[in-house]
Amino acid sequence: MLTLTQIQQILEKENLLREFITPDRWSLAAPFEKKFHKLSYDSREADADTLFFCKGNNFQVRYLEQALQTGLACYIAEQPYEVDAALAIIVTDIRKALAVLSMAFYDYPQNKLKLIGITGTKGKTTVAYFTKKILDITTQQKTALLSTLNTTLDGVTFFKSKLTTPESLDLYRMMAEAVTNGMTHLVMEVSSQAYKVARVYGLTFDVGIFLNISPDHIGPIEHPTFEDYFYCKRQLVANSRQMILHHEIDHFDLLSELARAKNIPVITYGNKVEADYQVKPLEHPLAFSLTGAKDSLMLNGTYEILLAGDFNKENAAAALIASALVGADQTAGQQGLAEALVPGRMNLLLKPNGAHIYVDYAHNYLSMKSLLAFAKEQHPAGEILVITGSTGNKAESRRAGLGQAIGEYADVAVLTSDDPNYEDPQKIAAEIQQGIQNDQVQVHFEKDRKQAIQQAIQSAGPNDAIILAGKGTDKYMTVNGENLPYEGDYHLAELFIKD
């Protein structure tokens, strides 16, 4: 619950309040007292006890009018509307107002949790899953998770996420539910959009992790430039009590400078001796050592993960350091990493004859390039075969990038369905193929993804690598607006390697 007086005080403290407007007068102070038992930005959920937020680029006054018809009396917005409302609260920034009022409405649940925030162009989900698994052991499964793939508010039951970082009102509602469920820790991915549109405005993380940075999410509806994207990303540094940085990250000097300016302590990891913790791959393909000259967190030792790739060993190091900072010990770190399987993130399966099958959600140029480059390096004597498609009716620009990466590293490409929705899978495949630009790559089309996977695995030789990209463990295939049942790439690969 929030009262109008509390709302006034909170908005004034954040310098967000412009004025209160009633049909009779304008004022700087709340003109009367009222209790709100609900906050909403969805007109379909509004009633007499609701404070309704008029927000979003697509907001239309008819939404407010619909809410007023259901009994709504008060709204909050950046401008007054000519509607019959008892009260309009006018603010300078509606998104920031939504954030600070939401955290107050839910009684500041962030103060009752240890918060770990993770950002970077790639690897966020892997680090989030690694960290949660380590903390599950430490806290007896009292660790909540907000990730691109899935969300859990009770540490055990997962549901599919709508956004990488939820809208602020939803974020604090979820945090409050996690607290009610007895959670003590929360691991969450923090997207650039979360800072761009103030979803995490006013939120301070106990530990922040900055993994890497490269151009992504640049376009008319996201970030106009790389500079804007990077600026939003690095706000995590300014809003964390402790930062973890990859020592070899691009623009490391700027991130370090920002941390120093904000008096934020930093722990670094990487391959170079200058890093606080060095990550060194070992002979076993899934093992690595972590070595710190000071080792204040007592993490020096060897670890194993279930994901292929040296970059995932670095992701594991970030998770180890973050977990240690909020209470985990080395034993929990070793056990957690040995058990953590991240859905669709470089999951490795072996065919009895030695062929490697990699299952990954790679869906753009950067992620596909990293995946195929790794496979090429690991399997120089074999054939690199990739099975992929691209989602229909969105992110059309990714298709050329997928083709470019395939042309740079693959020997064979089987283009197939990947949530085609209302588009023709063969049309999508043709657009990917246009980007390949390498006549040496054998390109085939097979609409039936299951059949494409079966044929590829059955014919793979001992030195070959098969890349199943895009779907991961998804149990559906979106076709013509419907989520049709699908076994998932990982399950199918498990099934076919036994044939």
Side-chain angles (χ1 to χ4, degrees):
M1 186 193 73
L2 278 179
T3 67
L4 204 52
T5 299
Q6 289 173 321
I7 290 170
Q8 175 188 332
Q9 293 170 343
I10 292 166
L11 294 177
E12 284 178 340
K13 182 179 179 181
E14 297 291 333
N15 295 313
L16 292 170
L17 181 63
R18 290 173 66 136
E19 66 267 335
F20 295 92
I21 299 178
T22 69
D24 301 321
R25 61 191 288 255
W26 292 33
S27 63
L28 297 178
F32 51 80
E33 192 58 283
K34 179 176 174 58
K35 295 178 181 179
F36 296 95
H37 296 279
K38 186 191 299 185
L39 306 182
S40 180
Y41 52 82
D42 187 337
S43 59
R44 296 166 295 184
E45 299 177 354
D47 57 26
D49 291 326
T50 303
L51 176 60
F52 180 69
F53 290 79
C54 305
K55 76 159 194 73
N57 296 331
N58 297 320
F59 177 79
Q60 299 177 31
V61 69
R62 65 184 178 91
Y63 300 148
L64 175 57
E65 292 169 343
Q66 290 169 356
L68 291 168
Q69 291 173 6
T70 64
L72 183 78
C74 301
Y75 71 89
I76 182 168
E78 291 179 358
Q79 65 180 56
Y81 294 97
E82 293 185 5
V83 294
D84 186 16
L87 177 66
I89 306 171
I90 309 304
V91 295
T92 57
D93 190 313
I94 189 63
R95 291 187 176 276
K96 290 181 179 179
L98 178 63
V100 297
L101 293 177
S102 295
M103 65 173 72
F105 182 82
Y106 286 106
D107 193 26
Y108 302 94
Q110 68 270 31
N111 296 335
K112 303 162 191 175
L113 296 162
K114 287 290 186 181
L115 299 184
I116 296 177
I118 307 161
T119 201
T121 303
K122 58 182 181 178
K124 295 186 297 296
T125 300
T126 298
V127 175
Y129 270 77
F130 280 164
T131 306
K132 173 173 164 49
K133 192 66 177 179
I134 295 169
L135 291 176
D136 277 345
I137 296 167
T138 303
T139 66
Q140 288 76 52
Q141 293 192 320
K142 293 181 180 178
T143 301
L145 172 71
L146 301 178
S147 83
T148 303
L149 296 181
N150 292 304
T151 294
T152 178
L153 304 178
D154 63 4
V156 179
T157 308
F158 290 81
F159 58 90
K160 191 169 181 63
S161 304
K162 293 181 180 179
L163 295 168
T164 297
T165 309
E167 183 57 79
S168 58
L169 176 56
D170 304 314
L171 173 62
Y172 289 104
R173 174 182 55 78
M174 290 177 175
M175 282 189 189
E177 185 175 338
V179 171
T180 300
N181 290 335
M183 299 296 100
T184 58
H185 292 64
L186 170 62
V187 179
M188 61 181 286
E189 297 180 42
V190 187
S191 66
S192 57
Q193 281 293 300
Y195 281 109
K196 179 76 172 176
V197 298
R199 291 177 194 154
V200 289
Y201 174 78
L203 181 61
T204 301
F205 293 89
D206 292 289
V207 178
I209 306 173
F210 204 124
L211 300 171
N212 46 63
I213 188 73
S214 58
D216 198 13
H217 297 288
I218 297 170
I221 63 172
E222 293 185 279
H223 298 279
T225 62
F226 171 73
E227 186 278 333
D228 184 71
Y229 171 64
F230 182 35
Y231 175 78
C232 291
K233 281 282 192 189
R234 69 177 183 258
Q235 296 314 301
L236 181 65
V237 178
N239 291 281
S240 296
R241 296 184 177 93
Q242 169 83 57
M243 274 306 300
I244 300 169
L245 296 178
H246 193 301
H247 188 271
E248 287 87 58
I249 189 176
D250 288 348
H251 304 288
F252 173 79
D253 290 344
L254 177 59
L255 294 169
S256 297
E257 182 182 1
L258 175 59
R260 287 193 301 272
K262 299 290 184 178
N263 294 315
I264 309 297
V266 172
I267 296 177
T268 62
Y269 68 98
N271 299 318
K272 295 184 178 179
V273 295
E274 293 85 0
D276 294 321
Y277 280 96
Q278 286 181 267
V279 186
K280 293 183 179 179
L282 300 177
E283 186 175 352
H284 188 289
L286 298 177
F288 70 97
S289 68
L290 193 65
T291 306
K294 296 181 179 178
D295 192 25
S296 58
L297 299 174
M298 293 187 291
L299 292 173
N300 283 357
T302 61
Y303 301 84
E304 286 191 16
I305 56 177
L306 294 176
L307 277 66
D310 288 348
F311 54 90
N312 278 323
K313 295 167 185 174
E314 295 179 349
N315 288 335
L320 283 167
I321 297 168
S323 301
L325 287 169
V326 294
D329 60 19
Q330 184 182 50
T331 300
Q334 289 171 326
Q335 182 183 341
L337 291 180
E339 297 175 357
L341 185 63
V342 186
R345 291 296 192 272
M346 286 292 283
N347 297 323
L348 175 59
L349 292 160
L350 297 176
K351 187 177 173 182
N353 71 349
H356 285 50
I357 299 97
Y358 299 95
V359 184
D360 194 277
Y361 276 117
H363 60 278
N364 57 25
Y365 171 73
L366 185 62
S367 57
M368 183 67 84
K369 176 184 177 180
S370 298
L371 179 58
L372 294 179
F374 169 78
K376 194 78 170 179
E377 180 184 356
Q378 297 295 310
H379 305 272
E383 191 172 67
I384 307 300
L385 184 149
V386 58
I387 296 175
T388 193
S390 191
T391 52
N393 303 108
K394 68 175 184 178
E396 289 87 347
S397 62
R398 290 175 177 168
R399 298 169 191 176
L402 288 172
Q404 180 182 345
I406 290 169
E408 290 170 353
Y409 294 100
D411 299 300
V412 181
V414 180
L415 304 179
T416 187
S417 300
D418 181 347
D419 297 330
N421 207 356
Y422 294 101
E423 287 195 72
D424 179 357
Q426 192 159 10
K427 169 186 170 291
I428 296 173
E431 293 178 17
I432 296 173
Q433 186 170 357
Q434 284 181 344
I436 292 178
Q437 300 292 307
N438 183 348
D439 294 336
Q440 301 302 310
V441 179
Q442 301 175 41
V443 182
H444 310 280
F445 174 73
E446 172 53 65
K447 182 178 180 180
D448 187 327
R449 190 179 183 100
K450 180 177 180 178
Q451 186 171 335
I453 293 171
Q454 182 177 21
Q455 291 173 347
I457 292 177
Q458 287 177 345
S459 61
N463 296 317
D464 295 342
I466 297 173
I467 313 298
L468 308 182
K471 290 295 291 176
T473 56
D474 285 352
K475 297 293 185 180
Y476 63 89
M477 181 72 73
T478 305
V479 180
N480 295 325
E482 292 186 63
N483 288 335
L484 303 179
Y486 174 69
E487 294 93 329
D489 286 0
Y490 189 85
H491 174 76
L492 289 174
E494 280 187 311
L495 181 67
F496 294 141
I497 62 174
K498 298 174 183 176
D499 290 349

